[in-house]
Amino acid sequence: MNNLDYGWLGKLNWDSLVFSGFLESPSVSEAVASVAGSIVILAAVAILALLTWFKVWGTLWRDWLTSTDHKRIGIMYIAFAIVMLVRGLLEGMVMRAQQAAAPDGFLYADHFAQLFSTHGTIMVFFVAVPFLVGLINFAMPLQIGARDVAFPVLNQISLAVTVSSGVLLMVSLVVGQFSTGGWSAYPPYTGADFSPGVGPDYWIWAIVFSGAGTTLTGINFTVTVYKCRGPGMHLFRMPLFCWTVLCASILMIFAMPPLSVAAIMLGLDRYLDFHFFTNDLGGNMMNYANLFWLFGHPEVYLLVLPAYGIFSEVFSTYSAKTLYGYKSLVIATMCIAILSFTVWLHHFFTMGQSPTINIAFGIATMLIAVPTGVKVYDWMATMYRGRIRFTTPMVYAIGFLILFVIGGLSGVILANPTVDFQVHNTLFLVAHFHNVLIPGVLFGILAGYNYWFPKAFGFRLNDKWGKRSAYLWFAGFMVTFFPLYGAGLLGMPRRSFSYGDLTFKPFMVVAFIGAMIVLAALITLIIQFLVSIRDRNKTRVPVGDPWDGRSLEWNSPAPVPAYNFVEIPKVTDRDAFTEAKEHGEAYKRPKVYRDIELPKNNPLGFILCVVSGILMFALVWYIWWLALISALTMLVAVIVSTFRKETEYIIPASQLEKDTEAWLALVEKSEPVGRDLEDSPRNVGLAKLEL
Amino acid sequence: MNPISSPKNPLSASNPHEAIHRDPDMVIFGFWVFMMSDLIFFGVVFAIYITMVGATAGGPGPKELFDFGSLFAQTMFLLTSSLTVGIATVMVKHERSRASFLFWVVITLLLGMGFLGLELYDFSVMAEKGGVPQRSGYLSAFFGLVPLHGLHVTFGCLWMIVLIVQVFTMGLCDVVKLRFLRLALFWHFLDLIWIGIFSVVYFGGWVYG
Ligand code: HEM
Ligand SMILES: [Cu+2]
């Protein structure tokens, strides 16, 4: 059928709705799909109703949806990522249940395939990336002593397209079906011949748009680090987190384009009958594999580097020591960033290239273990003889240190082409990448969430529930994924919805139990959040430095005012804030109060979010007129926004004086609290000077 | 030398409110970083083209399809437009009249549109000879790369039109000047890419194809 032969609604019809499958031929698999679809609809309706009920639309619009403040944009990124995390984890559980129930599971093969495709796509692009980008947005400008990121409106736009792509994935639960081709979407399987449905189109547009958002974010952060540092903040005085952000941003700039190219070319194959990756007429699937992994491998370092940065801050703060081997950590970060581009062929050792190439790429892969090892030793040396406090972020960091080394070692094993021939595409691989992604990235994210939460909202998260959650994550992770190493060595293929060889069954049952522990971890995480909100009056830290922090972000009230700092602090050394506290320079009154200029609110991001969502949906369903209208609307919105004249507003000095004097008065009357009491209600965010 | 880093430049005048968002250095640096990313984009598409030069699947190849006469004209259009956009930059730098600035921008715009017209004409001639992207992997790669550059040129033209309107509505103010400087960078960048396309896609394709 010709692409233009569809009617007004394109391919869309009654049968596209997920519920129609259940109504026509009821089955457990269809029921699961229908329930998921209903949850999406109900949740959307419930949220809209609640927002209306509490009459918060006005505030939401003014303070959040149109905000250009990097801290608020960061928080919105994180909120979005948490929603996606819940979905992604639940999909993991359903898959584990299916494999534990095999050989007579309850899902259709296609449904299982959709689950691992959305799960992988969501976890990588819509949980790990936005969560990290959110934390970076929140903390990095504060750490370098900046007023804002380099391009605040661009920041808004990046968030907008990321969110609309995520919403598109949610819509795929209700209308039509998602791709069955995995998160890597290899053609020719995802080409029009083998996957004529809309699934791969959902994948393509979500990836193209969110990928564009990530590239723009990379540009924004790079320029921010280079150009917006406060006075005295030399590159080698930056907190390590900023270094890892810089390297990760450079990875975003260089690694995202190959993915965009691959996805767009796949789209051209599907929509316009091109032959980039088809089986016939000169198409070449290996080009896709190369493009995808030219992105894909750096991507994992793009995720893990900022997490390393978070752990570095955590180790140093809660050991009350300056980071051991700072320069070596910086150099190791840069080495990893560069090496990450030299190893992508290890993803297709078995696809027919010469042994020489395999050896070269195997060795390059193993080399990454060297700078990573340097880091691990530096972190351990940071703790050595420190006065360690076992707070929630620290618990995550120590769990990371142990578990991540195991994951890294299994990676070194996989880097050996001869071993890889045996275990590639088995659950051994699945165990390996979860073993690096969960301790490395997810624990990093959760550590950062616990660490910076009081800075963002002005009160601490509950430490008891935080630790419970952390231990459940450790246990859940280990019970879920360590058995998969075994099943993989025994030869159980990944992505299989069922299996005939019952040797695998015990492994799968244990893994399912592990997944239930993970579910408990997720629930405790939510409990921690709710309990913390309930107790917020006892845990407020308005002064702003609850952990005896060492970097500049702790040098402002909590929550941080829109302008970050009344007066940008002058930096003379590493650990700038500790330095200031030691010399009695912290909490000083500025000599003069000067007006501060900040970017105004802008509706552009919100408009683009809505319209790009419509555009993607129209493209997925071949509704050409709608696609055209929304594409033009986006263009016009951007052009019109360039005609705005007054893009900044001014916070008058008098206002600043009032705020700051109130804060300083609070500092004056607060009692400094030692580190041993930091989890008690006496901690209002003024750390006692203990050396 | 980067025209805006010169000390006499009106754009680098200090700002009373430490407004970081209009710092010309930062905005231009950001644009360089963006172009770096775009360069990778093009680089990857070039690489795909190179791997697919032989994949004609029995369809028409470079020798049958390319018209070097028209290509020469396109190249001249683009190179000249790089010169005219450069002259317009000088007009901004020396604060010449708005009219002379606009004159050179309009000339650049016309040259850009002339280039696009010729390119589209070439594509239609190719299509008549059976050179459509659906015919082979080779042609897909060709039509993945060359129109990508064309799309960038189209975008540049649109940008110029918006700028011309803005010169009238907002005047030749700092913001507009900065936008123009970025456009000029972009335009030179597209010229470079075109030189790559001419040597790799057309000439290289013709030699090896
Ligand atoms: C802790 C809870 C999790 C569980 C129970 C879980 C479970 C699973 C399962 C069952 C699969 C399919 C394996 C197969 O097809 O054989 C899978 C694949 C995958 N998971 Fe997870 N996962 C979890 C967390 C994560 C996290 C945190 C990430 C990333 C940050 C992640 C990333 C991936 C990726 C990239 C795939 C590959 C998808 C594909 O094959 O296309 N997972 N996971
Ligand atoms: Cu890799």
Side-chain angles (χ1 to χ4, degrees):
Chain A
M1 192 166 175
N2 192 306
N3 285 343
L4 294 173
D5 289 348
Y6 297 98
W8 282 102
L9 283 180
K11 294 181 173 181
L12 204 58
N13 58 35
W14 167 246
D15 290 334
S16 325
L17 280 186
V18 68
F19 312 105
S20 70
F22 181 71
L23 295 178
E24 269 154 37
S25 54
S27 68
V28 182
S29 195
E30 294 288 1
V32 171
S34 297
V35 168
S38 322
I39 292 178
V40 172
I41 295 175
L42 289 179
V45 172
I47 290 174
L48 294 181
L50 280 177
L51 292 177
T52 314
W53 178 261
F54 288 110
K55 297 200 179 71
V56 283
W57 281 109
T59 340
L60 197 66
W61 177 256
R62 248 171 290 117
D63 291 353
W64 296 91
L65 299 181
T66 59
S67 173
T68 45
D69 180 341
H70 67 94
K71 300 175 289 297
R72 289 179 185 258
I73 289 179
I75 291 167
M76 286 189 277
Y77 261 113
I78 292 171
F80 165 73
I82 290 176
V83 173
M84 298 306 278
L85 174 71
V86 172
R87 168 163 175 204
L89 283 176
L90 291 179
E91 284 172 336
M93 322 263 145
V94 177
M95 284 189 283
R96 284 275 132 264
Q98 162 75 9
Q99 287 189 331
D104 18 58
F106 51 92
L107 296 180
Y108 297 143
D110 250 29
H111 192 176
F112 187 83
Q114 281 184 54
L115 283 170
F116 66 67
S117 306
T118 39
H119 167 79
T121 307
I122 285 180
M123 282 298 187
V124 173
F125 296 105
F126 298 100
V127 176
V129 173
F131 212 127
L132 286 167
V133 169
L135 289 171
I136 297 170
N137 248 319
F138 180 78
M140 183 269 284
L142 289 169
Q143 286 196 332
I144 59 173
R147 277 270 129 79
D148 205 331
V149 293
F151 306 111
V153 180
L154 190 70
N155 204 11
Q156 226 190 14
I157 295 174
S158 309
L159 170 68
V161 287
T162 309
V163 171
S164 64
S165 314
V167 171
L168 186 76
L169 283 186
M170 288 300 185
V171 169
S172 78
L173 274 178
V174 183
V175 208
Q177 296 187 328
F178 197 73
S179 173
T180 49
W183 83 289
S184 48
Y186 273 3
Y189 177 73
T190 45
D193 290 343
F194 295 90
S195 300
V198 294
D201 302 327
Y202 268 122
W203 184 86
I204 288 169
W205 296 115
I207 292 303
V208 168
F209 277 75
S210 68
T214 309
T215 315
L216 296 177
T217 299
I219 295 170
N220 210 342
F221 288 162
T222 307
V223 180
T224 307
V225 171
Y226 274 118
K227 293 283 182 186
C228 303
R229 278 169 288 131
M233 180 57 81
H234 303 165
L235 281 175
F236 277 94
R237 287 179 186 164
M238 291 196 305
L240 201 80
F241 181 62
C242 299
W243 269 107
T244 58
V245 168
L246 177 62
C247 291
S249 308
I250 293 175
L251 291 186
M252 291 182 200
I253 296 167
F254 288 123
M256 299 312 290
L259 176 70
S260 308
V261 169
I264 291 171
M265 286 180 172
L266 183 61
L268 288 172
D269 277 4
R270 291 181 57 84
Y271 281 80
L272 298 178
D273 228 359
F274 278 43
H275 292 282
F276 283 110
F277 311 127
T278 53
N279 277 335
D280 54 345
L281 292 174
N284 182 354
M285 183 272 163
M286 278 320 287
N287 275 342
Y288 183 91
N290 273 297
L291 287 181
F292 185 83
W293 290 108
L294 189 53
F295 143 81
H297 195 85
E299 165 81 3
V300 300
Y301 289 95
L302 190 168
L303 300 179
V304 87
L305 286 179
Y308 287 168
I310 296 171
F311 288 127
S312 303
E313 304 299 292
V314 167
F315 279 125
S316 154
T317 303
Y318 294 110
S319 307
K321 268 180 71 188
T322 185
L323 204 55
Y324 182 87
Y326 173 88
K327 282 222 166 104
S328 64
L329 281 165
V330 172
I331 293 170
T333 306
M334 294 200 253
C335 288
I336 293 174
I338 293 167
L339 280 174
S340 71
F341 279 103
T342 65
V343 304
W344 80 93
L345 263 73
H346 66 210
H347 294 276
F348 32 97
F349 278 154
T350 58
M351 291 201 216
Q353 64 233 1
S354 75
T356 323
I357 290 186
N358 278 356
I359 291 169
F361 278 82
I363 293 173
T365 306
M366 293 182 205
L367 274 182
I368 297 189
V370 177
T372 311
V374 168
K375 293 194 154 213
V376 170
Y377 284 112
D378 277 337
W379 287 320
M380 295 200 294
T382 303
M383 288 191 287
Y384 180 66
R385 295 200 152 167
R387 289 177 45 202
I388 298 177
R389 290 110 79 200
F390 284 101
T391 55
T392 307
M394 194 64 167
V395 170
Y396 276 118
I398 291 171
F400 150 79
L401 211 53
I402 298 164
L403 296 174
F404 185 80
V405 168
I406 300 173
L409 288 177
S410 68
V412 176
I413 294 173
L414 282 171
N416 186 330
T418 47
V419 178
D420 190 65
F421 265 78
Q422 178 62 27
V423 294
H424 88 277
N425 264 351
T426 66
L427 287 182
F428 189 90
L429 175 84
V430 175
H432 157 69
F433 68 64
H434 283 92
N435 199 170
V436 281
L437 282 173
I438 293 178
V441 183
L442 193 68
F443 291 179
I445 285 168
L446 293 174
Y449 160 74
N450 277 278
Y451 182 60
W452 280 307
F453 188 92
K455 196 78 228 179
F457 294 100
F459 60 94
R460 283 171 282 126
L461 283 171
N462 187 298
D463 200 48
K464 268 210 194 75
W465 280 103
K467 279 184 195 146
R468 281 178 197 153
S469 178
Y471 291 126
L472 282 171
W473 277 109
F474 296 169
F477 158 71
M478 290 193 283
V479 180
T480 314
F481 290 100
F482 285 167
L484 301 194
Y485 280 121
L489 285 174
L490 291 175
M492 178 167 170
R494 73 190 283 207
R495 295 182 178 175
S496 33
F497 89 108
S498 185
Y499 45 86
D501 181 351
L502 289 185
T503 338
F504 301 135
K505 181 112 181 173
F507 292 94
M508 294 302 111
V509 172
V510 175
F512 174 67
I513 296 171
M516 289 301 105
I517 305 178
V518 170
L519 182 62
L522 181 67
I523 293 172
T524 43
L525 198 70
I526 296 169
I527 296 179
Q528 181 203 24
F529 183 66
L530 297 176
V531 167
S532 310
I533 293 183
R534 187 196 63 197
D535 296 344
R536 65 190 179 282
N537 285 331
K538 278 179 258 158
T539 57
R540 287 204 198 278
V541 286
V543 176
D545 176 28
W547 318 127
D548 191 12
R550 309 179 71 82
S551 38
L552 285 185
E553 78 267 33
W554 304 106
N555 186 14
S556 61
V560 190
Y563 45 86
N564 292 358
F565 308 96
V566 216
E567 187 180 48
I568 302 286
K570 290 208 175 38
V571 175
T572 51
D573 207 347
R574 231 170 270 157
D575 287 331
F577 189 44
T578 299
E579 182 93 345
K581 284 188 277 192
E582 278 172 28
H583 294 88
E585 299 286 327
Y587 310 114
K588 272 264 186 80
R589 183 166 281 107
K591 284 198 199 72
V592 271
Y593 288 98
R594 270 200 216 99
D595 293 356
I596 291 179
E597 193 178 289
L598 285 178
K600 261 194 186 152
N601 279 10
N602 196 328
L604 182 63
F606 184 74
I607 295 172
L608 290 185
C609 181
V610 173
V611 183
S612 67
I614 297 175
L615 172 61
M616 287 187 274
F617 186 78
L619 287 170
V620 167
W621 289 97
Y622 290 52
I623 310 175
W624 305 124
W625 60 271
L626 187 58
L628 192 69
I629 293 179
S630 32
L632 288 178
T633 312
M634 284 176 73
L635 192 66
V636 170
V638 171
I639 292 178
V640 168
S641 82
T642 63
F643 283 85
R644 279 162 57 100
K645 280 222 181 76
E646 293 295 313
T647 52
E648 262 102 29
Y649 73 101
I650 291 185
I651 304 185
S654 55
Q655 177 70 38
L656 296 171
E657 178 161 9
K658 212 174 101 226
D659 289 2
T660 312
E661 291 302 328
W663 179 53
L664 290 174
L666 186 72
V667 173
E668 200 65 17
K669 83 172 204 286
S670 300
E671 175 201 358
V673 155
R675 291 171 198 140
D676 43 339
L677 287 179
E678 74 186 3
D679 192 35
S680 76
R682 286 167 58 191
N683 182 359
V684 292
L686 183 62
K688 193 194 282 176
L689 199 59
E690 295 174 44
L691 294 174
Chain B
M1 198 177 99
N2 182 345
I4 54 155
S5 54
S6 77
K8 270 209 223 117
N9 190 305
L11 296 181
S12 53
S14 69
N15 193 308
H17 305 295
E18 11 165 9
I20 49 165
H21 303 295
R22 263 188 250 133
D23 175 8
D25 256 7
M26 190 180 75
V27 173
I28 298 283
F29 178 69
F31 199 71
W32 275 103
V33 179
F34 160 74
M35 287 196 299
M36 219 153 69
S37 194
D38 212 27
L39 189 64
I40 303 287
F41 206 98
F42 272 111
V44 172
V45 183
F46 267 105
I48 295 288
Y49 177 84
I50 292 169
T51 64
M52 296 186 98
V53 168
T56 49
K63 291 223 164 72
E64 289 105 297
L65 294 174
F66 297 159
D67 170 3
F68 278 90
S70 162
L71 287 170
F72 179 73
Q74 288 172 44
T75 309
M76 283 304 118
F77 273 29
L78 264 197
L79 292 187
T80 317
S81 75
S82 231
L83 181 70
T84 53
V85 92
I87 298 177
T89 315
V90 176
M91 297 288 139
V92 173
K93 186 177 174 192
H94 292 288
E95 299 202 63
R96 288 299 173 78
S97 71
R98 187 195 281 197
S100 57
F101 167 72
L102 281 179
F103 173 77
W104 290 108
V105 176
V106 170
I107 297 283
T108 312
L109 176 62
L110 292 177
L111 286 167
M113 300 210 296
F115 166 85
L116 283 174
L118 274 183
E119 179 159 76
L120 286 177
Y121 174 72
D122 270 10
F123 291 163
S124 72
V125 172
M126 282 177 74
E128 272 165 28
K129 297 184 196 160
V132 290
Q134 289 78 7
R135 179 61 190 83
S136 69
Y138 166 71
L139 282 162
S140 298
F142 175 90
F143 281 101
L145 175 51
V146 181
L148 178 67
H149 172 269
L151 209 62
H152 276 70
V153 175
T154 313
F155 180 69
C157 290
L158 193 64
W159 189 347
M160 272 184 243
I161 294 170
V162 172
L163 263 185
I164 292 171
V165 176
Q166 288 187 342
V167 170
F168 284 113
T169 56
M170 306 164 72
L172 203 51
C173 60
D174 287 2
V175 181
V176 173
K177 282 180 188 166
L178 257 180
R179 286 189 185 140
F180 171 73
L181 287 177
R182 274 175 283 172
L183 170 69
L185 275 178
F186 184 67
W187 202 255
H188 294 309
F189 168 75
L190 291 185
D191 228 21
L192 277 177
I193 299 287
W194 176 256
I195 292 171
I197 289 183
F198 189 82
S199 358
V200 174
V201 175
Y202 289 111
F203 192 63
W206 186 74
V207 169
Y208 291 101

